[in-house]
Amino acid sequence: MRKFFILLFLLLVLLIPALAEERIDLSTPDADALTPYALPDGHIIFAGSAGENGNDSNRKARLVCMNPDGTIAWDYLHQAKGRCKFSNIQLLPDGQLGVVFTNSPDQTTIEASIFKFSLEGELLAGPISIFTERMLLLDSTDACISFLVSTPEGQISSYRFVDWEGKPLFQMPPGSIMGGGFQALPADNGVLLMGNETGFPALGKLTKLDLAGSIVWSQPLEPTLPNANHMLFSPVSLLSDGGFAVVVYEEVWGNDPFTPSASEGYLLRFDKEGTLLWKTSFQQSGLPEIALQDSTIYGNYLVAAEEPIPGEKRIWKYHWFDLNTGSLIDCTEEAMPDGVNNQRGDFVILDSGLWINRNLRQNKKDDSLTVLDSRDELLMKVPEK
């Protein structure tokens, strides 16, 4: 019996570190929110905020740099008070890190500035103000930052683009180039917009602008579903090869003003010039749909992370598509922890393999403050095929 307990103890000693390696905790003692950005050398920069328990209006902007082996290289906490955060992080052409600092108490932005850091976490420049009344920060690339500006009545008055020195590049009124909202993606000597044609229903399109706001080219996204006349887009995933992936739902709208008569979902992969490389139908792959969180290139695969659809089993799914053809090869699964909800999932590739950064909150419907205070950032090892 004594030998049995000795063997059991040795097994636990060996097992506990292995289990610990399946989680990397980036959380502070208070509420956290971080989004990763991969550098070419394998380092990961996380941008976001660290909050104060019991007071969600008091949040400090935070940057964390992770080494490729999963250890922390540096951790920067900005001391400005308010509901602050860092976002829109980019590696700029001069080798500096550019981030946007915002302070938005009561969900209203009262401060927006550019900060620049070295790769070692040293503050090099900032704040460079880009603040405008009634602004809402949108996307960024290594060439520009985009945001919208609203009228006092809440209508969008313009979309604006500035460079990383805070200088205005161009602006455009709503509906002038894209029909509604759009996503801004990096492009050589310009910016690529993904959105819809004007009106409703409307098909999708890609438009490349130069940095003066002139149209370089514009092309529709041809539907595959018969008679489709409208498209909805998931958030775009930027890929390590410079291209991007997105889930598109094609819909057929007719006389019923509330419900499309038919719909179908597709996973699309584009190269960095906006050329469609492949398009995979969910139905043909045996998938009812994908509630896409993120996708990434990993080895010979495009891996897509799916969040459970409400009412389904609490399981995270990872779909493994052939990188070159778009064929669905496999699906791996992971049970969600009990008692938590997941707010976001972003892939991270480390020396030890494929991970996903998740923002988890306690599942307590009757205590909203506890839910806000419980936000934690955990990197979780992805079950591989």
Side-chain angles (χ1 to χ4, degrees), residues 111-112 131 170 175 220 248 281 365 371:
E111 184 179 358
F131 174 73
F170 62 91
V248 174
S281 162
K365 297 181 180 180
V371 170

Side-chain angles (χ1 to χ4, degrees), residues 150-191:
S150 301
T151 66
E153 295 74 32
Q155 302 297 315
I156 298 174
S157 64
S158 64
Y159 293 98
R160 302 188 187 183
F161 293 75
V162 300
D163 67 17
W164 281 96
E165 300 301 324
K167 298 177 181 177
L169 293 172
F170 62 91
Q171 60 179 291
M172 56 189 193
S176 59
I177 294 177
M178 313 295 280
F182 55 82
Q183 299 181 66
L185 311 173
D188 292 338
N189 302 311
V191 60

Side-chain angles (χ1 to χ4, degrees), residues 74-103:
W74 50 265
D75 194 333
Y76 178 90
L77 192 66
H78 194 58
Q79 294 303 311
K81 295 182 178 180
R83 202 170 193 274
C84 306
K85 71 175 182 179
F86 285 129
S87 65
N88 297 70
I89 188 164
Q90 295 286 331
L91 178 62
L92 304 181
D94 60 6
Q96 297 181 4
L97 294 173
V99 295
V100 179
F101 169 89
T102 53
N103 186 1

